[in-house]
Amino acid sequence: MKEKTFREYEGVLFLFKDYLNMYGYLTLDDEKRKRWEAQFEEDEESFTKLFGQEEITEYQISEFLDYFMIRKVVASKSLMKNSVRVMKKFSKWMTEEGFSDHNYQDFFEEAKDLPKVEKLAELLFYYARNAPQLPYEDVIESSFLVEKIEKEKLWLEDDFGADMIGPVLVSKEISNLCQEGWRINLEIGKSADNWYILESGNVYRY
């Protein structure tokens, strides 16, 4: 293995270890959680010292990539791409070595979109920086579900509203990359018949 590749694997697995030590306890049964609680106050890395690969599930790999890497690490597109590749190989190794009987392949077939998620977040960030200075009659900040996409236009569903909001004007690159069903944290403002992106945050596949 080349040194650069080794460093990439080491970096991603170091982050996965951090994730497990912070959130791995959530999938433990009562007895194991008590063991973890007894050690955690003295050692914040107690999860990975007490438990092995047998406690790693598809749920944890999914939460690591879909939540931890996006919200906590704020991973770039390249780091997310490396993370998906490393975790796919790691999960395959666990299965081949008999540490897990989970079939992770369906998850990784879907997870190949994660680099696109980070690319979209980057595009939205820079697009929002050029928001037009208009008299906005309404401003909403929320987590939005993407309901409909047309060229340079999005229609969104607000978590706290009943009606679909749109059109939200975006670039062609954004509308081409975005997918229905994805969730985006945004601040949007309405002027006349259109909505404009004023601030942007994380993007999630669900």
Side-chain angles (χ1 to χ4, degrees):
M1 182 183 292
K2 294 181 179 179
E3 183 178 353
K4 181 177 182 293
T5 303
F6 175 80
R7 288 200 304 268
E8 289 174 353
Y9 276 59
E10 185 179 44
V12 172
L13 292 175
F14 178 84
L15 290 170
F16 186 52
K17 179 181 176 182
D18 275 354
Y19 162 79
L20 290 173
N21 283 319
M22 284 191 268
Y23 303 105
Y25 74 94
L26 293 172
T27 58
L28 294 175
D29 60 32
D30 290 343
E31 181 180 346
K32 290 178 179 178
R33 183 175 291 201
K34 288 177 181 177
R35 286 177 57 200
W36 170 80
E37 289 173 345
Q39 297 291 327
F40 181 73
E41 288 188 7
E42 297 181 2
D43 185 356
E44 293 184 353
E45 294 187 351
S46 58
F47 183 91
T48 52
K49 292 178 180 178
L50 288 171
F51 308 109
Q53 293 93 334
E54 70 279 358
E55 295 298 335
I56 298 175
T57 65
E58 181 178 323
Y59 169 82
Q60 290 166 325
I61 292 176
S62 173
E63 284 293 290
F64 170 66
L65 293 171
D66 276 295
Y67 171 78
F68 186 80
M69 292 299 293
I70 291 175
R71 188 162 186 175
K72 299 297 183 180
V73 179
V74 193
S76 64
K77 178 184 175 182
S78 61
L79 177 55
M80 184 61 78
K81 185 176 181 179
N82 289 338
S83 299
V84 172
R85 185 179 71 252
V86 170
M87 295 308 296
K88 183 176 182 179
K89 288 184 177 293
F90 176 64
S91 64
K92 183 180 179 182
W93 173 82
M94 287 198 301
T95 302
E96 290 175 347
E97 294 296 319
F99 292 116
S100 173
D101 57 2
H102 295 277
N103 183 0
Y104 302 94
Q105 298 315 303
D106 288 344
F107 167 75
F108 282 105
E109 183 63 26
E110 298 175 3
K112 65 185 181 182
D113 283 335
L114 281 168
K116 296 179 183 178
V117 167
E118 287 310 299
K119 178 62 177 178
L120 180 60
E122 180 183 325
L123 291 174
L124 287 166
F125 172 78
Y126 287 108
Y127 187 80
R129 293 180 66 179
N130 296 311
Q133 300 298 312
L134 297 172
Y136 296 108
E137 58 201 72
D138 192 9
V139 174
I140 303 174
E141 181 178 0
S142 186
S143 173
F144 296 96
L145 184 69
V146 179
E147 287 283 357
K148 178 182 173 183
I149 303 171
E150 291 184 3
K151 182 180 178 182
E152 300 180 355
K153 296 177 182 178
L154 304 178
W155 279 262
L156 309 173
E157 181 182 302
D158 180 8
D159 279 350
F160 304 101
D163 298 326
M164 191 160 57
I165 299 170
V168 180
L169 303 186
V170 296
S171 67
K172 181 180 178 181
E173 193 173 7
I174 289 173
S175 61
N176 285 344
L177 192 60
C178 193
Q179 295 186 25
E180 293 177 2
W182 284 7
R183 187 168 293 278
I184 310 174
N185 294 340
L186 295 171
E187 180 181 86
I188 57 176
K190 184 179 183 182
S191 181
D193 294 328
N194 295 316
W195 290 83
Y196 299 84
I197 296 175
L198 308 180
E199 298 284 346
S200 71
N202 293 324
V203 178
Y204 302 94
R205 294 188 302 135
Y206 51 80

